[in-house]
Amino acid sequence: MKSIIELDGKTLTRQQIGGIVNGLATVALSADSVERIRLSRERIEKRLAEGQTIYGVNTGFGKLSNIKIEEEDIELLQLNLLRSDATGVGVPFPTDVVRAMMVLRANALARGFSGIRLETVQLLLDLINKGVHPIVPSQGSVGASGDLAPLSHLALVLVGEGKAEFNGEVMSGSAALQQAGLTPVRLQAKEGLALVNGTQAMTGIGVLTVNEAERIGLAADMAASLTLESLKGITSAFDPSLLAVRPHPELELVGGRIRKWLDGSKRVTKQGEIRMQDAYSLRCIPQVHGASWQSFFYAEDRVQIEMNATTDNPIVLENGEVLSGGHFHGQPIALAMDFLKVGVCEWANISERRTERMVNPQLNEGLPPFLATNPGIECGLMIAQYTAASIVSENKVLAHPSSVDSIPTSGNQEDHVSMGTTSARQVRQIVHNAARVIAIEMICASQAIHLDKAEDQLSPTTRKYLEKVREFCPPLLADQPIGDEIEALAQYLLTSDVLLNEYK
């Protein structure tokens, strides 16, 4: 039976979003949020009844904000906003992103600062629970006045327009609502603006990416542990007393994790037993991986705040004031996603270097060239390293910070934009690319251990995880295509909670 997660605008977690997105939970409004939404709507209606002028409620939008809208045109104004802003292009967002956007928008509205009606929010929840998924193109947001284009495509389905997927079939928004047994809403004053002003596209991608990045960071630490055993790495570099003199918490976190995972290994060595020092890709794992974990924890913190924030405009305050501000601007998430891009790139960069050390006969401590069973007649895993090299090079391009760019919009009224949705789209691609690079390292380590007949010398922890890797790619007895195996293992690394639950 599915659990029910109550949205209150304050306590939603990224783990809960993961459960909702994956269909493990349904959503409802908390009793407190119902009352806050009701009071917020009353404040808007009171202001309108008093004849006050409120941006986006009875005025135009953006550069057109000085144009007063007559009362009889207010409903059309809100509908036109959705229609005009639904100008997204490109490949649609995957369903998990759309569901995350919907949950986050509903949670923001549940805070009670947006002036929207309860029935409109409830329909959004009904779409989530019944599996009606708007078709939302992935390109078109500059991430400043909210994610206007993506959220407009999402919101159009609430009024019976746009397109949606329901039961695996793409259809019109009206048909999707009808088949799901739902009735479209007629938007009232402020409601269109309340639905489309916000950072839920970039934050929705960000939440899912942070969840995946955590798994990939742990996978990078595990891959490094397997490689250390493959190459008889020197664990003296991870001595707790040594690491403590440079007291970055994440550095010590990685060092401690690898010491724990390698406990009991007969493959790793001490300083001076075989050689005095390892190359940086082995010796500096705590420093490099730890720095990437710093970027992860920063992004996680920013996303957690944004998930439970009000990000539209104007804001209906509890004292009845309706004030315009800039909470829709995506800069806090844009910078966080750009920082995470760089951190995840480095997990992949150093992983590829460790792969190179395992396959290169000049560096791999006497293992067969390119980890081939019959070198010469076979190329072994030579080209797997090519693939990793190609991917990390692609990541370096994607890692360029989108947030340093800005293009004015709306007649220069919106003269600084965040490009945060571009940052979020890119960081998710980087995380998925990194999963493939780390999968290649794990497969190479598995092959090295097989060729050296070293399974019995591994630590209990790494030996157990190696068995999981080999479910996707058993040791290679001859040359064979392994692209599908790499991809399958990468998808496992992105989705499995084994390292989170059993090893962390």
Side-chain angles (χ1 to χ4, degrees):
M1 184 176 178
K2 294 182 179 180
S3 61
I4 300 174
I5 293 174
E6 289 193 343
L7 303 182
D8 61 8
K10 301 176 181 178
T11 60
L12 186 64
T13 68
R14 62 183 178 87
Q15 291 82 5
Q16 287 177 321
I17 288 183
I20 298 166
V21 164
N22 293 325
L24 303 177
T26 59
V27 288
L29 291 171
S30 70
D32 287 347
S33 67
V34 169
E35 181 64 12
R36 288 195 299 269
I37 291 169
R38 185 186 65 79
L39 291 172
S40 179
R41 184 63 195 175
E42 286 181 359
R43 292 173 186 130
I44 282 288
E45 292 177 349
K46 181 175 183 292
R47 293 275 173 161
L48 285 173
E50 293 170 348
Q52 296 193 21
T53 300
I54 305 172
Y55 168 74
V57 178
N58 52 10
T59 74
F61 305 106
K63 192 70 172 178
L64 304 174
S65 60
N66 292 323
I67 299 177
K68 184 76 178 339
I69 306 300
E70 298 301 325
E71 183 177 353
E72 62 268 21
D73 293 326
I74 286 178
E75 286 188 29
L76 181 60
L77 172 72
Q78 300 300 314
L79 182 58
N80 281 345
L81 176 64
L82 270 56
R83 289 170 172 169
S84 66
D85 286 3
T87 56
V89 295
V91 177
F93 281 124
T95 300
D96 60 350
V97 170
V98 174
R99 287 182 64 80
M101 288 172 59
M102 296 163 76
V103 174
L104 289 170
R105 193 73 211 124
N107 194 55
L109 296 171
R111 300 198 77 213
F113 295 110
S114 301
I116 198 168
R117 291 177 302 153
L118 182 60
E119 51 263 47
T120 305
V121 182
Q122 184 57 55
L123 180 58
L124 182 55
L125 298 183
D126 291 339
L127 263 62
I128 298 167
N129 291 335
K130 290 181 177 289
V132 178
H133 304 129
I135 302 301
V136 181
S138 58
Q139 293 175 286
S141 176
V142 296
S145 189
D147 285 312
L148 291 176
L151 288 172
S152 294
H153 283 278
L154 189 156
L156 273 177
V157 177
L158 295 173
V159 300
E161 298 187 15
K163 295 180 181 179
E165 177 271 324
F166 182 64
N167 288 336
E169 182 182 349
V170 176
M171 60 191 76
S172 68
S174 60
L177 291 179
Q178 184 177 21
Q179 291 192 25
L182 300 172
T183 303
V185 296
R186 288 188 59 179
L187 297 179
Q188 304 297 311
K190 184 150 185 330
E191 292 198 292
L193 194 58
L195 289 167
V196 305
N197 245 187
T199 62
Q200 281 68 45
M202 67 181 79
T203 308
I205 304 167
V207 171
L208 300 178
T209 303
V210 166
N211 285 347
E212 292 172 338
E214 182 176 32
R215 298 184 185 107
I216 294 310
L218 291 169
D221 292 347
M222 178 58 76
S225 300
L226 289 167
T227 299
L228 283 163
E229 291 188 295
S230 302
L231 296 176
K232 300 177 182 177
I234 300 168
T235 56
S236 304
F238 310 134
D239 184 280
S241 298
L242 172 63
L243 298 184
V245 303
R246 193 183 188 188
H248 291 278
E250 297 81 7
L251 185 157
E252 296 184 272
L253 175 70
V254 172
R257 181 176 293 145
I258 290 179
R259 287 196 306 272
K260 175 184 175 183
W261 287 350
L262 292 179
D263 185 39
S265 173
K266 298 180 178 63
R267 286 286 293 185
V268 293
T269 61
K270 298 293 184 183
Q271 180 177 302
E273 287 182 353
I274 297 177
R275 54 192 176 276
M276 288 302 298
Q277 294 185 144
D278 279 328
Y280 286 5
S281 60
L282 300 178
R283 194 190 341 157
C284 300
I285 291 167
Q287 291 78 12
V288 177
H289 284 210
S292 292
W293 278 109
Q294 289 174 356
S295 75
F296 168 82
F297 289 128
Y298 178 80
E300 178 189 39
D301 181 66
R302 296 302 99 184
V303 164
Q304 180 61 44
I305 293 171
E306 193 79 349
M307 283 166 43
N308 293 287
T310 298
T311 57
D312 57 304
N313 183 63
I315 303 300
V316 184
L317 298 175
E318 292 178 344
N319 63 6
E321 285 190 278
V322 183
L323 298 181
S324 289
H327 283 330
F328 46 61
H329 200 292
Q331 198 75 356
I333 296 300
L335 291 174
M337 293 300 99
D338 279 341
F339 189 18
L340 185 59
K341 282 160 62 173
V342 175
V344 177
C345 270
E346 285 306 290
W347 277 328
N349 283 348
I350 196 169
S351 172
E352 184 275 330
R353 289 293 79 200
R354 292 192 295 263
T355 292
E356 165 67 6
R357 299 200 75 80
M358 286 187 282
V359 301
N360 189 330
Q362 296 179 344
L363 304 173
N364 67 5
E365 303 299 327
L367 290 166
F370 304 104
L371 303 179
T373 303
N374 295 296
I377 194 172
E378 295 175 2
C379 291
L381 289 165
M382 178 191 296
I383 310 304
Q385 185 267 328
Y386 285 31
T387 301
S390 169
I391 293 171
V392 298
S393 183
E394 178 184 332
N395 276 355
K396 292 167 189 174
V397 176
L398 292 170
H400 178 82
S402 297
S403 58
V404 301
D405 186 28
S406 179
I407 297 176
T409 56
S410 191
N412 227 31
Q413 176 77 357
E414 299 163 5
D415 57 354
H416 182 277
V417 301
S418 76
M419 298 299 180
T421 306
T422 303
S423 297
R425 288 170 46 225
Q426 289 172 330
V427 72
R428 198 174 197 202
Q429 183 62 61
I430 288 171
V431 169
H432 288 204
N433 284 346
R436 298 175 178 110
V437 174
I438 292 164
I440 289 170
E441 181 185 358
M442 287 182 171
I443 290 170
C444 288
S446 168
Q447 183 71 359
I449 290 163
H450 163 72
L451 292 172
D452 223 16
K453 298 179 174 58
E455 283 84 354
D456 292 342
Q457 300 173 46
L458 303 183
S459 78
T461 300
T462 54
R463 184 163 63 246
K464 181 181 177 182
Y465 197 80
L466 180 66
E467 292 171 1
K468 177 59 66 176
V469 173
R470 287 178 172 174
E471 290 179 16
F472 294 91
C473 187
L476 304 179
L477 305 180
D479 280 355
Q480 66 181 64
I482 61 166
D484 290 345
E485 287 81 355
I486 293 169
E487 190 65 25
L489 179 55
Q491 291 305 309
Y492 173 78
L493 299 180
L494 286 166
T495 57
S496 170
D497 287 336
V498 166
L499 285 171
L500 274 169
N501 296 333
E502 296 185 27
Y503 295 84
K504 188 176 177 183

